[in-house]
CSV table of all heavy atoms in Angstrom, one decimal:
chain,number,residue,atom,x,y,z
A,1,MET,N,-22.5,-165.3,-79.2
A,1,MET,CA,-22.5,-165.5,-77.8
A,1,MET,C,-23.3,-166.7,-77.4
A,1,MET,O,-24.4,-167.0,-78.0
A,1,MET,CB,-23.1,-164.2,-77.3
A,1,MET,CG,-22.2,-163.0,-77.0
A,1,MET,SD,-20.8,-163.5,-75.9
A,1,MET,CE,-20.8,-162.3,-74.7
A,2,ALA,N,-22.7,-167.5,-76.5
A,2,ALA,CA,-23.5,-168.7,-75.9
A,2,ALA,C,-24.7,-168.2,-75.0
A,2,ALA,O,-24.5,-167.2,-74.4
A,2,ALA,CB,-22.6,-169.4,-75.2
A,3,ARG,N,-25.7,-168.9,-75.0
A,3,ARG,CA,-26.8,-168.6,-74.1
A,3,ARG,C,-26.4,-168.8,-72.8
A,3,ARG,O,-25.8,-169.8,-72.4
A,3,ARG,CB,-28.0,-169.3,-74.6
A,3,ARG,CG,-29.2,-169.2,-73.8
A,3,ARG,CD,-30.4,-169.9,-74.5
A,3,ARG,NE,-31.6,-170.1,-73.6
A,3,ARG,CZ,-31.6,-171.0,-72.8
A,3,ARG,NH1,-30.8,-172.0,-72.7
A,3,ARG,NH2,-32.8,-171.2,-72.1
A,4,SER,N,-26.8,-168.0,-71.8
A,4,SER,CA,-26.4,-168.0,-70.4
A,4,SER,C,-27.5,-168.2,-69.6
A,4,SER,O,-28.5,-167.4,-69.7
A,4,SER,CB,-25.5,-166.9,-70.1
A,4,SER,OG,-25.1,-166.9,-68.8
A,5,GLU,N,-27.4,-169.0,-68.6
A,5,GLU,CA,-28.7,-169.2,-67.7
A,5,GLU,C,-28.5,-168.3,-66.6
A,5,GLU,O,-29.3,-168.0,-65.7
A,5,GLU,CB,-28.8,-170.7,-67.2
A,5,GLU,CG,-29.0,-171.6,-68.4
A,5,GLU,CD,-30.4,-171.7,-68.7
A,5,GLU,OE1,-31.3,-171.3,-68.0
A,5,GLU,OE2,-30.8,-172.3,-69.8
A,6,THR,N,-27.2,-167.8,-66.3
A,6,THR,CA,-26.9,-167.1,-65.1
A,6,THR,C,-26.9,-165.6,-65.3
A,6,THR,O,-26.8,-165.1,-66.4
A,6,THR,CB,-25.5,-167.5,-64.6
A,6,THR,OG1,-24.6,-167.4,-65.6
A,6,THR,CG2,-25.6,-169.1,-64.2
A,7,SER,N,-26.9,-164.9,-64.2
A,7,SER,CA,-26.8,-163.4,-64.4
A,7,SER,C,-25.3,-163.0,-64.8
A,7,SER,O,-24.5,-163.4,-64.3
A,7,SER,CB,-27.1,-162.8,-63.1
A,7,SER,OG,-26.8,-161.4,-63.1
A,8,PRO,N,-25.3,-162.3,-65.9
A,8,PRO,CA,-24.0,-161.8,-66.4
A,8,PRO,C,-23.2,-161.0,-65.4
A,8,PRO,O,-22.0,-161.1,-65.4
A,8,PRO,CB,-24.4,-160.9,-67.6
A,8,PRO,CG,-25.8,-161.3,-67.9
A,8,PRO,CD,-26.5,-161.8,-66.8
A,9,ALA,N,-23.8,-160.3,-64.6
A,9,ALA,CA,-23.3,-159.4,-63.6
A,9,ALA,C,-22.3,-160.2,-62.7
A,9,ALA,O,-21.3,-159.8,-62.1
A,9,ALA,CB,-24.2,-158.7,-62.7
A,10,HIS,N,-22.7,-161.5,-62.3
A,10,HIS,CA,-21.9,-162.3,-61.4
A,10,HIS,C,-21.3,-163.5,-62.1
A,10,HIS,O,-20.5,-164.2,-61.3
A,10,HIS,CB,-22.9,-162.8,-60.3
A,10,HIS,CG,-23.6,-161.7,-59.6
A,10,HIS,ND1,-23.0,-160.9,-58.7
A,10,HIS,CD2,-24.9,-161.3,-59.6
A,10,HIS,CE1,-23.8,-159.9,-58.2
A,10,HIS,NE2,-25.0,-160.2,-58.8
A,11,ASP,N,-21.3,-163.6,-63.4
A,11,ASP,CA,-20.8,-164.8,-64.0
A,11,ASP,C,-19.2,-164.7,-64.0
A,11,ASP,O,-18.7,-165.8,-63.7
A,11,ASP,CB,-21.3,-164.8,-65.5
A,11,ASP,CG,-21.1,-166.2,-66.0
A,11,ASP,OD1,-21.5,-167.1,-65.2
A,11,ASP,OD2,-20.6,-166.4,-67.1
A,12,ASP,N,-18.6,-163.6,-64.1
A,12,ASP,CA,-17.2,-163.6,-64.1
A,12,ASP,C,-16.7,-164.0,-62.7
A,12,ASP,O,-15.7,-164.7,-62.8
A,12,ASP,CB,-16.7,-162.2,-64.5
A,12,ASP,CG,-16.9,-161.9,-65.9
A,12,ASP,OD1,-17.2,-162.8,-66.8
A,12,ASP,OD2,-16.8,-160.7,-66.4
A,13,ASP,N,-17.1,-163.5,-61.8
A,13,ASP,CA,-16.7,-163.8,-60.4
A,13,ASP,C,-16.8,-165.3,-60.1
A,13,ASP,O,-15.8,-166.0,-59.7
A,13,ASP,CB,-17.5,-163.1,-59.3
A,13,ASP,CG,-17.2,-161.6,-59.2
A,13,ASP,OD1,-16.3,-161.2,-59.9
A,13,ASP,OD2,-17.7,-161.0,-58.3
A,14,ARG,N,-17.9,-165.9,-60.4
A,14,ARG,CA,-18.1,-167.3,-60.3
A,14,ARG,C,-17.1,-168.2,-61.1
A,14,ARG,O,-16.6,-169.1,-60.6
A,14,ARG,CB,-19.5,-167.6,-60.5
A,14,ARG,CG,-20.1,-169.0,-60.0
A,14,ARG,CD,-21.4,-169.2,-60.3
A,14,ARG,NE,-22.3,-168.1,-59.9
A,14,ARG,CZ,-23.5,-167.8,-60.4
A,14,ARG,NH1,-24.0,-168.7,-61.2
A,14,ARG,NH2,-24.2,-166.8,-60.0
A,15,GLN,N,-17.0,-167.8,-62.3
A,15,GLN,CA,-16.1,-168.5,-63.1
A,15,GLN,C,-14.7,-168.4,-62.7
A,15,GLN,O,-14.0,-169.3,-62.7
A,15,GLN,CB,-16.1,-167.8,-64.7
A,15,GLN,CG,-15.4,-168.7,-65.7
A,15,GLN,CD,-15.8,-168.2,-67.1
A,15,GLN,OE1,-16.1,-167.2,-67.2
A,15,GLN,NE2,-15.8,-169.2,-68.0
A,16,LEU,N,-14.3,-167.3,-62.2
A,16,LEU,CA,-12.9,-167.2,-61.7
A,16,LEU,C,-12.6,-168.1,-60.6
A,16,LEU,O,-11.6,-168.8,-60.5
A,16,LEU,CB,-12.5,-165.7,-61.3
A,16,LEU,CG,-11.2,-165.4,-60.8
A,16,LEU,CD1,-10.1,-165.8,-61.8
A,16,LEU,CD2,-11.0,-163.9,-60.4
A,17,LEU,N,-13.6,-168.2,-59.7
A,17,LEU,CA,-13.4,-169.1,-58.5
A,17,LEU,C,-13.4,-170.6,-58.9
A,17,LEU,O,-12.7,-171.4,-58.5
A,17,LEU,CB,-14.7,-168.9,-57.5
A,17,LEU,CG,-14.5,-167.6,-56.8
A,17,LEU,CD1,-15.8,-167.5,-55.9
A,17,LEU,CD2,-13.4,-167.4,-56.0
A,18,THR,N,-14.3,-170.8,-60.0
A,18,THR,CA,-14.3,-172.2,-60.6
A,18,THR,C,-13.0,-172.6,-61.2
A,18,THR,O,-12.5,-173.7,-61.0
A,18,THR,CB,-15.5,-172.3,-61.5
A,18,THR,OG1,-16.7,-172.0,-61.0
A,18,THR,CG2,-15.6,-173.7,-62.1
A,19,ILE,N,-12.4,-171.7,-61.8
A,19,ILE,CA,-11.2,-171.9,-62.6
A,19,ILE,C,-10.1,-172.3,-61.5
A,19,ILE,O,-9.3,-173.3,-61.7
A,19,ILE,CB,-10.7,-170.8,-63.3
A,19,ILE,CG1,-11.6,-170.6,-64.7
A,19,ILE,CG2,-9.2,-170.9,-63.8
A,19,ILE,CD1,-11.4,-169.2,-65.4
A,20,LEU,N,-10.0,-171.5,-60.4
A,20,LEU,CA,-8.9,-171.7,-59.3
A,20,LEU,C,-9.3,-172.8,-58.5
A,20,LEU,O,-8.2,-173.5,-58.0
A,20,LEU,CB,-8.8,-170.4,-58.6
A,20,LEU,CG,-8.2,-169.3,-59.4
A,20,LEU,CD1,-8.3,-168.0,-58.5
A,20,LEU,CD2,-6.7,-169.4,-59.7
A,21,GLU,N,-10.5,-173.2,-58.3
A,21,GLU,CA,-10.8,-174.2,-57.3
A,21,GLU,C,-10.3,-175.6,-57.8
A,21,GLU,O,-10.4,-176.0,-59.0
A,21,GLU,CB,-12.4,-174.4,-57.2
A,21,GLU,CG,-12.9,-175.3,-56.3
A,21,GLU,CD,-14.4,-175.4,-56.3
A,21,GLU,OE1,-15.1,-175.1,-57.3
A,21,GLU,OE2,-14.9,-175.7,-55.2
A,22,GLY,N,-9.7,-176.3,-56.9
A,22,GLY,CA,-9.2,-177.6,-57.1
A,22,GLY,C,-7.7,-177.7,-57.7
A,22,GLY,O,-7.2,-178.7,-57.8
A,23,ARG,N,-7.2,-176.4,-57.9
A,23,ARG,CA,-5.9,-176.5,-58.3
A,23,ARG,C,-5.0,-176.7,-57.2
A,23,ARG,O,-5.2,-176.3,-56.0
A,23,ARG,CB,-5.5,-175.1,-58.9
A,23,ARG,CG,-6.1,-174.9,-60.3
A,23,ARG,CD,-5.5,-173.8,-61.0
A,23,ARG,NE,-6.1,-173.7,-62.4
A,23,ARG,CZ,-5.6,-172.9,-63.3
A,23,ARG,NH1,-4.4,-172.0,-63.1
A,23,ARG,NH2,-6.1,-172.8,-64.4
A,24,PRO,N,-3.7,-177.2,-57.4
A,24,PRO,CA,-2.7,-177.4,-56.3
A,24,PRO,C,-2.3,-176.1,-55.8
A,24,PRO,O,-2.2,-175.1,-56.5
A,24,PRO,CB,-1.7,-178.2,-56.9
A,24,PRO,CG,-1.8,-178.0,-58.4
A,24,PRO,CD,-3.2,-177.8,-58.7
A,25,CYS,N,-2.0,-176.0,-54.4
A,25,CYS,CA,-1.7,-174.8,-53.8
A,25,CYS,C,-0.2,-174.4,-54.2
A,25,CYS,O,0.6,-175.3,-54.3
A,25,CYS,CB,-1.6,-174.9,-52.2
A,25,CYS,SG,-1.0,-173.6,-51.4
A,26,PRO,N,0.0,-173.1,-54.7
A,26,PRO,CA,1.4,-172.7,-55.1
A,26,PRO,C,2.3,-172.5,-53.9
A,26,PRO,O,3.5,-172.4,-54.1
A,26,PRO,CB,1.0,-171.5,-55.8
A,26,PRO,CG,-0.2,-170.9,-55.3
A,26,PRO,CD,-1.0,-172.1,-54.8
A,27,THR,N,1.7,-172.5,-52.7
A,27,THR,CA,2.5,-172.1,-51.5
A,27,THR,C,3.0,-173.3,-50.8
A,27,THR,O,4.2,-173.4,-50.4
A,27,THR,CB,1.7,-171.2,-50.6
A,27,THR,OG1,1.2,-170.0,-51.4
A,27,THR,CG2,2.6,-170.7,-49.5
A,28,CYS,N,2.2,-174.3,-50.7
A,28,CYS,CA,2.6,-175.6,-50.0
A,28,CYS,C,2.5,-176.7,-51.0
A,28,CYS,O,1.8,-176.5,-51.9
A,28,CYS,CB,1.9,-175.7,-48.7
A,28,CYS,SG,0.1,-176.1,-48.9
A,29,SER,N,3.1,-177.8,-50.6
A,29,SER,CA,3.2,-178.8,-51.5
A,29,SER,C,1.9,-179.8,-51.6
A,29,SER,O,1.7,-180.4,-52.6
A,29,SER,CB,4.5,-179.7,-51.3
A,29,SER,OG,4.4,-180.2,-50.0
A,30,ASP,N,1.2,-179.8,-50.5
A,30,ASP,CA,0.1,-180.9,-50.5
A,30,ASP,C,-1.2,-180.1,-50.3
A,30,ASP,O,-2.2,-180.9,-50.1
A,30,ASP,CB,0.4,-181.9,-49.4
A,30,ASP,CG,0.6,-181.2,-48.1
A,30,ASP,OD1,0.3,-180.2,-47.9
A,30,ASP,OD2,1.5,-181.9,-47.4
A,31,GLY,N,-1.4,-178.9,-50.4
A,31,GLY,CA,-2.6,-178.3,-50.3
A,31,GLY,C,-3.3,-178.1,-51.7
A,31,GLY,O,-2.8,-178.3,-52.7
A,32,GLU,N,-4.7,-177.9,-51.5
A,32,GLU,CA,-5.5,-177.8,-52.7
A,32,GLU,C,-6.4,-176.6,-52.5
A,32,GLU,O,-7.0,-176.4,-51.4
A,32,GLU,CB,-6.4,-179.1,-53.0
A,32,GLU,CG,-7.2,-179.0,-54.2
A,32,GLU,CD,-7.9,-180.4,-54.5
A,32,GLU,OE1,-7.2,-181.2,-54.9
A,32,GLU,OE2,-9.0,-180.4,-54.1
A,33,LEU,N,-6.6,-175.8,-53.6
A,33,LEU,CA,-7.5,-174.6,-53.4
A,33,LEU,C,-8.8,-174.9,-53.4
A,33,LEU,O,-9.3,-175.8,-54.2
A,33,LEU,CB,-7.1,-173.6,-54.6
A,33,LEU,CG,-5.6,-173.2,-54.7
A,33,LEU,CD1,-5.4,-172.3,-55.9
A,33,LEU,CD2,-5.1,-172.5,-53.5
A,34,GLU,N,-9.6,-174.3,-52.6
A,34,GLU,CA,-10.9,-174.5,-52.6
A,34,GLU,C,-11.7,-173.1,-52.2
A,34,GLU,O,-11.2,-172.2,-51.7
A,34,GLU,CB,-11.3,-175.5,-51.4
A,34,GLU,CG,-10.9,-174.9,-50.0
A,34,GLU,CD,-11.4,-175.9,-48.9
A,34,GLU,OE1,-11.7,-177.0,-49.2
A,34,GLU,OE2,-11.4,-175.4,-47.8
A,35,ARG,N,-13.0,-173.1,-52.6
A,35,ARG,CA,-13.8,-171.8,-52.4
A,35,ARG,C,-13.9,-171.7,-51.0
A,35,ARG,O,-14.3,-172.5,-50.2
A,35,ARG,CB,-15.1,-171.9,-53.1
A,35,ARG,CG,-14.9,-171.4,-54.6
A,35,ARG,CD,-16.3,-171.4,-55.3
A,35,ARG,NE,-16.4,-172.8,-55.8
A,35,ARG,CZ,-17.4,-173.1,-56.6
A,35,ARG,NH1,-18.2,-172.2,-57.1
A,35,ARG,NH2,-17.4,-174.3,-57.2
A,36,GLY,N,-13.8,-170.3,-50.5
A,36,GLY,CA,-14.0,-169.9,-49.2
A,36,GLY,C,-14.2,-168.6,-49.1
A,36,GLY,O,-14.5,-167.8,-50.0
A,37,VAL,N,-14.1,-168.1,-47.9
A,37,VAL,CA,-14.3,-166.7,-47.6
A,37,VAL,C,-13.0,-166.2,-46.8
A,37,VAL,O,-12.4,-166.8,-45.9
A,37,VAL,CB,-15.5,-166.4,-46.6
A,37,VAL,CG1,-15.5,-164.9,-46.3
A,37,VAL,CG2,-16.7,-166.8,-47.4
A,38,TYR,N,-12.4,-165.0,-47.3
A,38,TYR,CA,-11.2,-164.7,-46.6
A,38,TYR,C,-11.5,-163.0,-46.3
A,38,TYR,O,-11.8,-162.2,-47.2
A,38,TYR,CB,-10.0,-164.6,-47.5
A,38,TYR,CG,-8.8,-164.1,-46.9
A,38,TYR,CD1,-8.1,-164.9,-45.9
A,38,TYR,CD2,-8.2,-162.9,-47.4
A,38,TYR,CE1,-6.9,-164.3,-45.4
A,38,TYR,CE2,-7.1,-162.3,-46.9
A,38,TYR,CZ,-6.5,-163.1,-45.8
A,38,TYR,OH,-5.2,-162.6,-45.3
A,39,LYS,N,-11.5,-162.7,-45.1
A,39,LYS,CA,-11.8,-161.4,-44.6
A,39,LYS,C,-13.1,-160.8,-45.1
A,39,LYS,O,-13.3,-159.8,-45.7
A,39,LYS,CB,-10.6,-160.4,-45.0
A,39,LYS,CG,-9.3,-160.8,-44.2
A,39,LYS,CD,-8.2,-159.6,-44.5
A,39,LYS,CE,-7.1,-160.0,-43.8
A,39,LYS,NZ,-5.9,-159.0,-44.1
A,40,ASP,N,-14.1,-161.8,-45.1
A,40,ASP,CA,-15.5,-161.5,-45.4
A,40,ASP,C,-15.8,-161.2,-46.9
A,40,ASP,O,-16.7,-160.8,-47.4
A,40,ASP,CB,-16.0,-160.2,-44.7
A,40,ASP,CG,-16.1,-160.4,-43.2
A,40,ASP,OD1,-16.3,-161.5,-42.7
A,40,ASP,OD2,-16.0,-159.4,-42.4
A,41,LYS,N,-14.7,-161.6,-47.6
A,41,LYS,CA,-14.7,-161.6,-49.1
A,41,LYS,C,-14.7,-163.0,-49.7
A,41,LYS,O,-14.1,-163.9,-49.1
A,41,LYS,CB,-13.5,-160.8,-49.7
A,41,LYS,CG,-13.3,-159.4,-49.0
A,41,LYS,CD,-14.5,-158.4,-49.3
A,41,LYS,CE,-14.2,-157.1,-48.7
A,41,LYS,NZ,-15.4,-156.3,-48.6
A,42,ARG,N,-15.3,-163.2,-50.8
A,42,ARG,CA,-15.3,-164.5,-51.5
A,42,ARG,C,-13.8,-164.6,-52.1
A,42,ARG,O,-13.2,-163.7,-52.5
A,42,ARG,CB,-16.3,-164.5,-52.8
A,42,ARG,CG,-17.6,-164.7,-52.3
A,42,ARG,CD,-18.4,-164.9,-53.5
A,42,ARG,NE,-18.6,-163.5,-54.1
A,42,ARG,CZ,-19.0,-163.3,-55.4
A,42,ARG,NH1,-19.4,-164.4,-56.1
A,42,ARG,NH2,-19.0,-162.2,-55.9
A,43,ALA,N,-13.3,-165.8,-51.8
A,43,ALA,CA,-11.9,-166.1,-52.2
A,43,ALA,C,-11.7,-167.5,-52.4
A,43,ALA,O,-12.6,-168.3,-52.2
A,43,ALA,CB,-11.0,-165.6,-51.0
A,44,VAL,N,-10.5,-167.8,-52.9
A,44,VAL,CA,-10.0,-169.2,-53.0
A,44,VAL,C,-9.0,-169.4,-52.2
A,44,VAL,O,-7.9,-168.7,-52.3
A,44,VAL,CB,-9.7,-169.5,-54.6
A,44,VAL,CG1,-9.3,-171.1,-54.7
A,44,VAL,CG2,-10.9,-169.4,-55.4
A,45,VAL,N,-9.1,-170.2,-51.1
A,45,VAL,CA,-8.1,-170.4,-50.2
A,45,VAL,C,-7.5,-171.9,-50.3
A,45,VAL,O,-8.2,-172.8,-50.6
A,45,VAL,CB,-8.6,-170.1,-48.8
A,45,VAL,CG1,-8.9,-168.6,-48.7
A,45,VAL,CG2,-9.7,-170.9,-48.3
A,46,CYS,N,-6.3,-172.0,-49.7
A,46,CYS,CA,-5.7,-173.4,-49.6
A,46,CYS,C,-6.3,-174.1,-48.4
A,46,CYS,O,-6.5,-173.5,-47.4
A,46,CYS,CB,-4.3,-173.2,-49.4
A,46,CYS,SG,-3.5,-175.0,-49.1
A,47,ASP,N,-6.8,-175.4,-48.7
A,47,ASP,CA,-7.4,-176.2,-47.6
A,47,ASP,C,-6.4,-176.7,-46.6
A,47,ASP,O,-6.5,-177.2,-45.5
A,47,ASP,CB,-8.1,-177.3,-48.0
A,47,ASP,CG,-7.4,-178.4,-48.8
A,47,ASP,OD1,-6.1,-178.2,-49.0
A,47,ASP,OD2,-8.0,-179.3,-49.2
A,48,SER,N,-5.1,-176.5,-46.8
A,48,SER,CA,-4.0,-176.9,-46.0
A,48,SER,C,-3.4,-175.8,-45.2
A,48,SER,O,-3.4,-175.7,-44.0
A,48,SER,CB,-3.0,-177.6,-46.7
A,48,SER,OG,-2.0,-178.1,-45.9
A,49,CYS,N,-2.9,-174.8,-45.9
A,49,CYS,CA,-2.1,-173.6,-45.3
A,49,CYS,C,-3.0,-172.4,-45.2
A,49,CYS,O,-2.6,-171.4,-44.6
A,49,CYS,CB,-0.9,-173.4,-46.0
A,49,CYS,SG,-1.0,-172.7,-47.6
A,50,GLU,N,-4.1,-172.4,-45.8
A,50,GLU,CA,-5.2,-171.4,-45.7
A,50,GLU,C,-4.6,-170.1,-46.3
A,50,GLU,O,-5.1,-169.0,-46.0
A,50,GLU,CB,-5.6,-171.2,-44.3
A,50,GLU,CG,-6.3,-172.3,-43.8
A,50,GLU,CD,-6.8,-172.1,-42.4
A,50,GLU,OE1,-6.6,-171.1,-41.8
A,50,GLU,OE2,-7.7,-172.9,-41.9
A,51,THR,N,-3.7,-170.2,-47.3
A,51,THR,CA,-3.4,-169.0,-48.0
A,51,THR,C,-4.3,-168.7,-49.1
A,51,THR,O,-4.6,-169.5,-49.9
A,51,THR,CB,-2.0,-169.3,-48.7
A,51,THR,OG1,-1.0,-169.6,-47.7
A,51,THR,CG2,-1.5,-168.1,-49.6
A,52,PRO,N,-4.8,-167.4,-49.0
A,52,PRO,CA,-5.7,-166.9,-50.1
A,52,PRO,C,-5.1,-166.7,-51.4
A,52,PRO,O,-4.0,-166.2,-51.4
A,52,PRO,CB,-6.3,-165.6,-49.4
A,52,PRO,CG,-5.3,-165.2,-48.6
A,52,PRO,CD,-4.5,-166.3,-48.0
A,53,ARG,N,-5.7,-167.3,-52.3
A,53,ARG,CA,-5.1,-167.3,-53.7
A,53,ARG,C,-5.6,-166.1,-54.5
A,53,ARG,O,-5.0,-165.4,-55.3
A,53,ARG,CB,-5.4,-168.6,-54.5
A,53,ARG,CG,-4.7,-168.6,-55.9
A,53,ARG,CD,-3.3,-168.5,-55.7
A,53,ARG,NE,-2.6,-168.6,-57.1
A,53,ARG,CZ,-1.5,-168.0,-57.4
A,53,ARG,NH1,-0.8,-167.3,-56.4
A,53,ARG,NH2,-1.0,-168.1,-58.6
A,54,VAL,N,-6.9,-165.8,-54.2
A,54,VAL,CA,-7.4,-164.6,-55.0
A,54,VAL,C,-8.6,-164.0,-54.1
A,54,VAL,O,-9.2,-164.9,-53.3
A,54,VAL,CB,-8.0,-165.0,-56.3
A,54,VAL,CG1,-9.2,-166.0,-56.1
A,54,VAL,CG2,-8.4,-163.8,-57.1
A,55,GLN,N,-8.8,-162.8,-54.1
A,55,GLN,CA,-9.9,-162.2,-53.4
A,55,GLN,C,-10.7,-161.4,-54.3
A,55,GLN,O,-10.3,-160.9,-55.3
A,55,GLN,CB,-9.3,-161.1,-52.3
A,55,GLN,CG,-9.0,-161.7,-51.0
A,55,GLN,CD,-8.5,-160.5,-50.2
A,55,GLN,OE1,-7.4,-160.3,-49.9
A,55,GLN,NE2,-9.6,-159.7,-49.5
A,56,LEU,N,-12.1,-161.6,-54.2
A,56,LEU,CA,-13.0,-160.9,-55.0
A,56,LEU,C,-13.9,-159.9,-54.1
A,56,LEU,O,-14.2,-160.4,-53.1
A,56,LEU,CB,-14.0,-162.0,-55.7
A,56,LEU,CG,-13.2,-162.9,-56.6
A,56,LEU,CD1,-14.1,-164.0,-57.0
A,56,LEU,CD2,-12.6,-162.3,-57.7
A,57,TRP,N,-14.1,-158.9,-54.6
A,57,TRP,CA,-14.9,-157.9,-53.9
A,57,TRP,C,-15.6,-156.9,-54.8
A,57,TRP,O,-15.2,-156.7,-56.0
A,57,TRP,CB,-14.1,-157.2,-52.8
A,57,TRP,CG,-13.0,-156.4,-53.4
A,57,TRP,CD1,-13.2,-155.0,-53.8
A,57,TRP,CD2,-11.7,-156.6,-53.7
A,57,TRP,NE1,-11.9,-154.5,-54.3
A,57,TRP,CE2,-11.0,-155.5,-54.2
A,57,TRP,CE3,-11.0,-157.8,-53.5
A,57,TRP,CZ2,-9.7,-155.5,-54.6
A,57,TRP,CZ3,-9.5,-157.8,-54.0
A,57,TRP,CH2,-9.0,-156.7,-54.5
A,58,THR,N,-16.7,-156.4,-54.3
A,58,THR,CA,-17.5,-155.5,-55.1
A,58,THR,C,-17.0,-154.1,-54.6
A,58,THR,O,-17.1,-153.8,-53.5
A,58,THR,CB,-19.0,-155.7,-55.0
A,58,THR,OG1,-19.2,-155.9,-53.7
A,58,THR,CG2,-19.3,-156.9,-55.7
A,59,PRO,N,-16.7,-153.2,-55.6
A,59,PRO,CA,-16.4,-151.8,-55.2
A,59,PRO,C,-17.6,-151.2,-54.5
A,59,PRO,O,-18.7,-151.4,-55.0
A,59,PRO,CB,-16.0,-151.2,-56.4
A,59,PRO,CG,-15.8,-152.3,-57.5
A,59,PRO,CD,-16.5,-153.5,-57.0
A,60,SER,N,-17.4,-150.4,-53.5
A,60,SER,CA,-18.4,-149.8,-52.8
A,60,SER,C,-18.5,-148.3,-53.2
A,60,SER,O,-17.5,-147.8,-53.7
A,60,SER,CB,-18.3,-150.0,-51.3
A,60,SER,OG,-17.1,-149.6,-50.9
B,27,ZN,ZN1,-1.2,-174.4,-49.1
């Protein structure tokens, strides 16, 4: 296991956002995915059409 500086509990969420961030939007031709908030949840949304690509939430 590699040494981690970050909290393991939140590392997966952050990594998922990082993986998706910067990718071309699958919905429109000229959008790019960026980190944002969708319906008060962390998400990756298109900067052009604002389509959320993924939503992350903590179970309550
Ligand atoms: Zn788009």
Side-chain angles (χ1 to χ4, degrees):
M1 272 306 228
R3 181 167 163 272
S4 178
E5 301 277 347
T6 56
S7 170
H10 301 290
D11 202 43
D12 286 349
D13 285 0
R14 199 177 309 160
Q15 189 167 29
L16 182 56
L17 292 177
T18 303
I19 288 168
L20 291 168
E21 185 181 27
R23 290 199 176 187
C25 177
T27 305
C28 66
S29 57
D30 51 27
E32 185 176 281
L33 303 179
E34 64 178 15
R35 267 180 276 193
V37 176
Y38 179 75
K39 293 185 177 178
D40 295 329
K41 310 295 184 187
R42 282 182 295 164
V44 177
V45 297
C46 175
D47 64 357
S48 181
C49 67
E50 298 185 346
T51 299
R53 183 60 180 151
V54 66
Q55 270 184 267
L56 300 172
W57 63 89
T58 46
S60 54

